[in-house]
């Protein structure tokens, strides 16, 4: 069925419940004059139809409510939600972004050129920091590219990067460490890398001495892939917009890279 048809699970109170009409009447009284409201993050796997966390105007109308330009029945958010999995539009990486993502994922330059040709990219963009990749230069390039992408309208769309993710020599254990970093963060609005001492000992709680540098590199990568979702907010800290519709795509992709299989990643990316 349509996205709104499958969103019927987000009705919050059964109309047969004896308290339904009392609750609706009280809500109608409160919202009669209308007011601006920020609805907060949508349920996992769903996006608000306006596609972001902006404030919308809501007021009582007849037996239901008007939210923005949409009339909804009381106690139901179905008409305001769209399934992220139904989204078929992706952001196409520019040629420079494609090769920067490949470099960040440790894909050898020759293999990246083959992948680029499969995408129809004729001109090979040389890795900016040389064939082996300079760690700091890659991070600086990723942040600059992410900042530039964030200012463009199409940045709100999820990227198509499944072929690059699958071509990366990074082991599943690295992706699992990254996924677990998201799942176990204390503040849902942020995720952070942790410091490691020069002799390899963890300098913070939860640090992964063997993969921490790579995790930091991948967090910078996410600022380019999902510039409307991930933004650097400190030396090792990144702000996460969980209410943005591309957030669910990012979470699902990372989940499949960590615990899924090649076919499942392809499903996410199409």
């Amino acid at each position: 069925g349509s996205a709104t048809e499958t969103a019927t699970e987000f009705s919050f109170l059964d109309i047969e419940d004896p308290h339904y009409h009392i609750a609706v009447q009280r809500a109608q009284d409160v919202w009669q004059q209308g007011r601006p409201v920020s609805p907060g993050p949508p349920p996992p796997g769903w996006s608000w139809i306006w596609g972001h966390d902006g404030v919308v105007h809501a007021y009582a109308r007849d037996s239901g409510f008007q939210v923005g330009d949409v009339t909804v029945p009381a106690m139901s958010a179905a008409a305001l939600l769209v399934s992220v999995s139904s989204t078929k539009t992706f952001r196409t990486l520019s040629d420079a972004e494609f090769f920067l993502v490949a470099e960040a994922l440790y894909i050898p330059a020759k293999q990246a050129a083959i992948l680029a040709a499969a995408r129809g990219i004729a001109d090979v963009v040389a890795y900016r920091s040389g064939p082996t990749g300079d760690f700091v230069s890659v991070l600086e390039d990723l942040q600059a590219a992410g900042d530039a992408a964030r200012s463009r309208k199409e940045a709100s769309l999820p990227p198509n990067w499944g072929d690059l993710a699958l071509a990366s020599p990074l082991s599943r254990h690295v992706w699992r460490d990254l996924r677990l970093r998201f799942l176990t963060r204390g503040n849902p609005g942020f995720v952070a890398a942790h410091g490691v001492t020069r002799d390899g000992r963890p300098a913070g709680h939860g640090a992964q001495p063997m993969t921490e540098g790579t995790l930091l590199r991948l967090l910078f990568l996410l600022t380019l892939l999902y510039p409307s979702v991930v933004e650097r907010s400190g030396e090792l800290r990144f702000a996460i917009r969980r209410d943005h519709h591309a957030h669910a795509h990012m979470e699902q992709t990372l989940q499949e890279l960590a615990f899924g299989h090649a076919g499942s990643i392809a499903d996410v990316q199409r």
Side-chain angles (χ1 to χ4, degrees), residues 9 19 40 93 205 220 242 254 257-258 266:
E9 61 188 283
H19 298 96
L93 299 173
H205 178 69
F220 271 88
R242 298 169 61 235
L254 294 180
L257 287 169

Side-chain angles (χ1 to χ4, degrees), residues 89-115:
T89 303
F90 294 94
R91 175 170 65 95
T92 300
L93 299 173
S94 70
D95 293 3
E97 288 174 336
F98 177 90
F99 283 98
L100 180 54
V101 171
E103 182 176 9
L105 290 171
Y106 300 96
I107 298 173
K110 289 184 178 180
Q111 186 178 1
I114 294 173
L115 293 172

Side-chain angles (χ1 to χ4, degrees), residues 30-257:
V30 172
W31 290 87
Q32 196 65 46
Q33 301 301 317
R35 64 175 69 177
V37 59
S38 179
W46 297 84
S47 168
W48 297 117
I49 56 175
W50 46 84
H52 54 79
D53 62 345
V55 175
V56 294
H57 193 78
Y59 57 91
R61 177 174 178 176
D62 300 327
S63 58
F65 296 87
Q66 183 86 11
V67 181
D69 297 328
V70 181
T71 301
V72 298
M75 306 296 178
S76 176
L80 304 176
L81 293 164
V82 59
S83 173
V84 173
S85 61
S86 67
T87 300
K88 300 300 180 183
T89 303
F90 294 94
R91 175 170 65 95
T92 300
L93 299 173
S94 70
D95 293 3
E97 288 174 336
F98 177 90
F99 283 98
L100 180 54
V101 171
E103 182 176 9
L105 290 171
Y106 300 96
I107 298 173
K110 289 184 178 180
Q111 186 178 1
I114 294 173
L115 293 172
R119 283 193 174 212
I121 299 175
D123 297 326
V124 175
V125 179
Y127 282 0
R128 304 183 189 190
S129 52
T132 59
D134 175 77
F135 185 81
V136 175
S137 295
V138 170
L139 300 191
E140 291 174 345
D141 288 345
L142 287 170
Q143 178 164 346
D147 290 343
R150 194 171 294 111
S151 64
R152 300 195 296 268
K153 183 178 180 180
E154 62 269 21
S156 64
L157 296 172
N160 188 346
W161 64 294
D163 54 340
L164 289 166
L166 291 174
S168 172
L170 290 175
S171 74
R172 191 174 295 275
H173 296 291
V174 175
W175 292 111
R176 287 176 180 172
D177 282 350
L178 179 63
R179 183 68 182 124
L180 291 173
R181 185 62 53 85
F182 275 85
L183 292 173
T184 59
R185 65 189 190 270
N187 186 331
F190 296 92
V191 67
H194 301 302
V196 177
T197 63
R198 291 185 177 180
D199 58 0
R201 291 181 299 174
H205 178 69
Q208 300 291 330
M210 299 298 294
T211 60
E212 202 63 48
T214 303
L215 295 185
L216 178 62
R217 185 175 176 127
L218 292 177
L219 288 172
F220 271 88
L221 172 62
L222 293 178
T223 67
L224 168 56
L225 292 173
Y226 300 94
S228 297
V229 178
V230 184
E231 183 174 3
R232 189 183 181 198
S233 60
E235 186 174 2
L236 301 175
R237 197 181 196 209
F238 298 79
I240 307 297
R241 289 187 59 188
R242 298 169 61 235
D243 52 357
H244 194 279
H245 65 90
H247 176 266
H249 182 274
M250 180 187 74
E251 292 270 309
Q252 188 176 2
T253 301
L254 294 180
Q255 178 72 17
E256 298 300 345
L257 287 169

